Amino acid sequence: RSQLDHLRRALLPGATFLEHRPYYEPASPDPAIFLTQGVWGHPAYDLGNCDYLLSFGSGLLERFWHWGETLRVYGEARSRGKCHLVQVESRRSVTGAKADQWIPLRPDTEATLALGLAHVIIRERLLDREFVENQTAGFEDWEDADHTKHEGFRALVLKGFDPRTVSAVTGVPIDVLLQLARSFATAGRAVALG
């Protein structure tokens, strides 16, 4: 069972999830995409206007959804001096080699690193509070219709994904983790994908 499966089940106990399907399969509904992006299809990323692109193992420069279009938009953004690219993955891929920063980590620990970044962003109050309050659900602890209490994302992340623990699991040094979380949170228009 993957870390993403664990997170899905922790945040939505009792929910039924479809098995992950490769990104190239058309119309593959994924509850995680729906819950985080609000769409039942593949999300669209505004790469042409981002200032900071945090990629968790996506083959952005070698195998992305619409590879030619992605390269064109990314190239235009880079030529304008925009879109600082950080590639997080266990191997130095083409995307990692071309990135402004490549962060190697142990295989299959990207989700742990992402939750560690969330821990720092929440703990240091770097998140957009208004957005969280008005556009998300499940951030704080909550109670369902049967009055069963559920731990929210905030408590889950603060309890289990402190920088020391995340560093031990992923192999990413604590100072790199802190720098990455702060840079992402304070970038004007940041995009994370994986």
Side-chain angles (χ1 to χ4, degrees):
R1 179 178 280 183
S2 73
Q3 293 172 348
L4 183 57
D5 288 336
H6 173 73
L7 178 62
R8 286 174 175 165
R9 283 168 178 71
L11 293 176
L12 297 165
T16 302
F17 294 98
L18 301 175
E19 290 299 314
H20 173 72
R21 296 178 185 204
Y23 67 88
Y24 51 81
E25 285 189 29
S28 58
D30 185 340
I33 297 291
F34 178 73
L35 292 170
T36 59
Q37 308 288 323
V39 296
W40 279 107
H42 299 298
Y45 300 100
D46 189 4
L47 301 181
N49 290 308
C50 75
D51 298 320
Y52 194 96
L53 177 55
L54 177 56
S55 168
F56 289 93
S58 72
L60 182 69
L61 302 181
E62 63 256 28
R63 53 163 175 68
F64 207 58
W65 292 302
H66 301 287
W67 186 66
E69 180 67 8
T70 300
L71 287 178
R72 183 189 67 73
V73 170
Y74 176 73
E76 288 174 2
R78 296 290 286 191
S79 70
R80 292 191 306 271
K82 298 172 86 178
C83 204
H84 179 85
L85 172 59
V86 178
Q87 180 72 359
V88 175
E89 65 183 327
S90 58
R91 68 181 184 90
R92 190 169 180 114
S93 64
V94 171
T95 303
K98 298 288 185 181
D100 296 295
Q101 184 178 8
W102 170 55
I103 299 177
L105 74 171
R106 292 188 181 106
D108 298 324
T109 61
E110 290 88 351
T112 300
L113 180 62
L115 293 169
L117 300 178
H119 177 101
V120 174
I121 292 167
I122 293 167
R123 185 187 71 210
E124 296 186 3
R125 295 181 173 86
L126 298 173
L127 66 156
D128 182 342
R129 234 13 230 180
E130 182 180 338
F131 178 84
V132 170
E133 289 171 6
N134 296 317
Q135 303 294 323
T136 67
F139 185 76
E140 300 295 346
D141 294 347
W142 55 284
E143 193 173 298
D144 64 23
D146 296 327
H147 304 291
T148 304
K149 295 183 187 233
H150 300 277
E151 184 174 60
F153 181 77
R154 180 182 198 275
L156 178 84
V157 167
L158 291 178
K159 180 176 69 178
F161 296 93
D162 62 276
R164 184 173 308 224
T165 301
V166 170
S167 180
V169 170
T170 64
V172 175
I174 292 173
D175 62 322
V176 172
L177 189 152
L178 294 172
Q179 172 268 323
L180 185 59
R182 292 169 182 154
S183 295
F184 179 77
T186 59
R189 294 174 294 215
V191 173
L193 57 92

